[in-house]
Amino acid sequence: MIRLQSGENLQVRIQDLMIPSERVAHVQVNNSLEHALLVLTKSGYSAIPVLDPKYRLQGLISTPIILDSILGLERIEFELLEKKRVEEVMNKKISRLTIDSSIDKCIELLIDNPFLCIVGKEGYFEGIVTRRSVLLYLNSHIKEK
Ligand code: 4BW
């Protein structure tokens, strides 16, 4: 629930703001870094979720993480792209929410994260909430008031 300065409340749930998993670009833990870089480049996103074969959330992978992991002392070691797996380099320390999390918590975490992963029972990946989806919602409702 969001309280406006006027004292009114806005009712919104995580599921109203969520991009469902079917529409979220992702990679699997055992994919090569080459595959991950392809998905990131083709999708146009700078970071995407990493899932295991059972579709449970395991981490995030980004273009900067991949490039950093193939950086040698004197050159970029491009040959490592097909050798290294996503799970070796992904960021495992990520914020996550459930469908029942509060919107206040969601907004607070979006200050430092461009998107948040939503997980269900046993960590099954449900989708993401992005800064854009929250700002779109707030923008339309604040203008209506
Ligand atoms: O390909 C794109 N399509 C659209 N419609 N918008 C895009 C695209 N790429 C970037 N954008 C825009 C969005 O407004 O640039 C912002 C920053 O992108 P990012 O972080 O750095 O790649 C986007 O802001 P956002 O929609 O609030 O999304 C925040 C972050 O959430 C993105 C990306 O890491 C992730 N993301 C969003 N939609 C996704 C996704 N990851 C996977 N699949 C999706 N469908």
Side-chain angles (χ1 to χ4, degrees):
M1 194 186 296
I2 295 165
R3 187 176 294 275
L4 298 176
Q5 277 191 335
S6 62
E8 292 165 278
N9 292 325
L10 289 180
Q11 299 280 359
V12 62
R13 297 164 303 169
I14 294 287
Q15 68 194 67
D16 302 325
L17 303 171
M18 188 175 81
I19 299 174
S21 56
E22 316 85 74
R23 285 176 38 213
V24 178
H26 70 271
V27 289
Q28 301 258 329
V29 276
N30 56 2
N31 287 151
S32 67
L33 292 190
E34 186 175 34
H35 178 79
L37 198 53
L38 266 171
V39 176
L40 283 160
T41 306
K42 283 276 179 196
S43 69
Y45 294 115
S46 52
I48 53 175
V50 180
L51 309 181
D52 69 14
K54 290 186 171 171
Y55 283 76
R56 286 174 304 204
L57 179 68
Q58 300 296 328
L60 292 183
I61 190 83
S62 67
T63 307
I65 290 178
I66 293 177
L67 292 180
D68 187 60
S69 74
I70 61 168
L71 210 56
L73 281 179
E74 288 177 0
R75 64 181 192 91
I76 300 176
E77 296 169 354
F78 286 109
E79 63 279 11
L80 293 179
L81 281 176
E82 56 181 313
K83 291 184 187 145
K84 284 194 176 185
R85 306 284 112 192
V86 168
E87 65 187 332
E88 293 173 50
V89 304
M90 68 185 182
N91 177 10
K92 295 177 188 162
K93 287 184 195 154
I94 55 169
S95 302
R96 51 186 79 198
L97 297 176
T98 70
I99 217 93
D100 301 318
S101 298
S102 74
I103 291 298
D104 304 40
K105 181 78 190 162
C106 176
I107 292 175
E108 191 187 318
L109 287 171
L110 280 174
I111 294 171
D112 291 324
N113 299 279
F115 71 100
L116 296 165
C117 291
I118 314 300
V119 293
K121 268 189 197 157
E122 291 164 38
Y124 287 103
F125 180 63
E126 305 266 352
I128 59 173
V129 174
T130 64
R131 277 185 190 152
R132 183 171 189 273
S133 60
V134 171
L135 286 173
L136 267 178
Y137 174 84
L138 290 176
N139 187 45
S140 65
H141 281 74
I142 288 166
K143 275 187 180 162
E144 274 173 23
K145 298 293 166 188

